Amino acid sequence: PLIAGESLEDAIEAERELLEPVRAEADVVIDSTELNVHQLRDRIRAAFAQPDADVGMQVVIRSFGYKHGLPLDADLVFDLRFLPNPHWVDELRPLTGNDAPVRDYVLEQAEAGRFLDKVTDLLEYLIPAYQKEGKAHLSIAVGCTGGRHRSVVIAHALAERLEELGTSAIVTHRDVER
């Protein structure tokens, strides 16, 4: 941000000068010059984490509608448009995946159960692998056409499956009210 026509080296030096009073007050200074991201993480944890702190992964499952665009921050994206769409059932159209009739309709589809089984197996493998690499946050996006029915149901069902495996997940719905 300080570059403003100067060279990068000059901008870095100006930033160092501005931050010197903050550094002088610091209890801990970590020189990250020669550290890779894993080494930096380990140094930060050693300096600041509670010895018995659980450093588990934060998992967020976000439902969305493809017609509103992909979530840009998703690590994994799953497309649910292969499932029958409740939008085409007149009595379900005004409801959302948070309503029991829509949930029942979606989960009664054999394909929904198979999808949940396969994705649960995949996540049971991936989450520990990501944790081993030091990843602390995993964003999973599940999408359908509008983001109101199928993706909402599956986001909740997937979170329940992860809970059964001992991994808690936060569920959010980007497009359910659109």
Side-chain angles (χ1 to χ4, degrees), residues 34-169:
E34 301 295 324
L35 303 179
N36 65 39
V37 295
H38 304 290
Q39 293 166 326
L40 178 59
R41 178 201 64 227
D42 292 343
R43 291 264 180 96
I44 291 170
R45 282 187 180 156
F48 300 107
Q50 299 289 340
D52 58 350
D54 177 16
V55 290
M57 177 174 287
Q58 180 184 37
V59 177
V60 175
I61 303 172
R62 177 173 299 111
S63 71
F64 74 97
Y66 276 94
K67 72 180 185 178
H68 305 295
L70 284 166
L72 298 178
D73 63 342
D75 297 305
L76 301 171
V77 178
F78 296 102
D79 185 344
L80 302 170
R81 293 175 292 182
F82 68 94
L83 294 173
N85 192 344
H87 175 81
W88 302 116
V89 179
D90 290 338
E91 61 270 15
L92 299 179
R93 183 175 298 136
L95 304 176
T96 74
N98 289 318
D99 296 307
V102 173
R103 184 182 64 247
D104 294 345
Y105 176 86
V106 171
L107 294 178
E108 285 171 359
Q109 309 300 319
E111 297 91 349
R114 288 194 67 211
F115 172 83
L116 286 166
D117 290 345
K118 290 183 178 297
V119 171
T120 302
D121 286 345
L122 177 64
L123 293 174
E124 188 174 19
Y125 165 75
L126 284 178
I127 289 173
Y130 282 140
Q131 286 176 307
K132 184 178 175 187
E133 276 301 302
K135 189 165 177 57
H137 183 271
L138 180 65
S139 175
I140 303 168
V142 290
C144 59
T145 305
R148 292 181 37 82
H149 297 107
R150 297 167 287 182
S151 62
V152 173
V153 172
I154 296 299
H156 286 293
L158 191 53
E160 290 172 12
R161 296 278 187 107
L162 289 178
E163 288 284 342
E164 292 170 6
L165 296 174
T167 300
S168 61

Side-chain angles (χ1 to χ4, degrees), residues 1-19:
L2 296 178
I3 203 160
E6 302 175 32
S7 71
L8 179 59
E9 292 80 14
D10 290 342
I12 291 171
E13 184 56 36
E15 184 175 295
R16 282 191 177 133
E17 289 174 19
L18 285 171
L19 291 174

